[in-house]
């Protein structure tokens, strides 16, 4: 099951590392720090930071990445929504009338103004 947090995943940096899915992001950070020479040769997928592939294979990975579909779906849904300005401009909400009149209160007020 892809969603199982207990499943073992192979580390893209050190092939004999097997990590539980729930710990995988943390392992990648530590493993990159421990293996900087290997990490320099790998590129991070723009759709899923857990995907590390050889730099030469990045464009091929981008074309085939399963997480690309989620990103494209999100972009399409945002394009189909009306812009926020249109929602705000089309609003019929009006502010309630204000009962305060500071000038009148100032003229009528018998209390002295507060001075520090």
């Amino acid at each position: 099951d892809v969603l199982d947090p207990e499943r073992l995943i192979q580390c893209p940096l050190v092939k004999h590392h097997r990590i539980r899915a729930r710990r995988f992001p943390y392992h990648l950070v530590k493993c990159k720090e421990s293996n900087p020479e290997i990490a320099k040769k790998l590129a991070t997928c723009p759709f899923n930071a857990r995907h590390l592939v050889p730099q030469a294979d990045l464009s091929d990975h981008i074309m085939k990445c399963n997480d690309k579909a989620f990103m494209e779906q999100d972009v399409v849904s945002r394009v189909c929504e009306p812009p926020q300005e249109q929602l705000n401009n089309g609003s019929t909400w009006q502010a309630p009338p204000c009962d305060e009149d500071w000038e009148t209160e100032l003229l009528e007020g018998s209390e002295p103004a507060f001075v520090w």
Side-chain angles (χ1 to χ4, degrees), residues 2-110:
V2 178
L3 302 176
D4 179 14
E6 297 300 316
R7 78 182 188 288
L8 293 176
I9 300 174
Q10 181 179 5
C11 174
L13 293 142
V14 180
K15 299 300 180 188
H16 67 271
H17 288 178
R18 304 264 185 225
I19 306 95
R20 297 206 186 281
R22 63 186 164 89
R23 298 289 310 157
F24 192 67
Y26 307 105
H27 174 81
L28 282 180
V29 171
K30 290 287 190 181
C31 206
K32 281 181 181 180
E33 291 172 359
S34 300
N35 301 288
E37 291 301 315
I38 299 171
K40 278 195 295 189
K41 297 175 185 175
L42 298 177
T44 304
C45 171
F47 305 114
N48 188 336
R50 296 177 183 184
H51 297 169
L52 296 177
V53 295
Q55 289 182 355
D57 299 339
L58 182 61
S59 60
D60 186 48
H61 172 82
I62 288 172
M63 297 299 290
K64 297 176 182 176
C65 182
N66 292 335
D67 293 322
K68 180 180 173 183
F70 295 118
M71 186 70 74
E72 288 174 342
Q73 184 179 16
D74 187 43
V75 169
V76 168
S77 69
R78 288 184 185 186
V79 169
C80 293
E81 294 174 3
Q84 194 64 31
E85 305 91 48
Q86 287 181 358
L87 291 175
N88 291 341
N89 293 341
S91 175
T92 58
W93 181 85
Q94 293 181 352
C98 181
D99 296 335
E100 295 180 352
D101 185 358
W102 293 0
E103 286 78 22
T104 306
E105 289 177 12
L106 184 63
L107 295 173
E108 293 176 355
S110 59

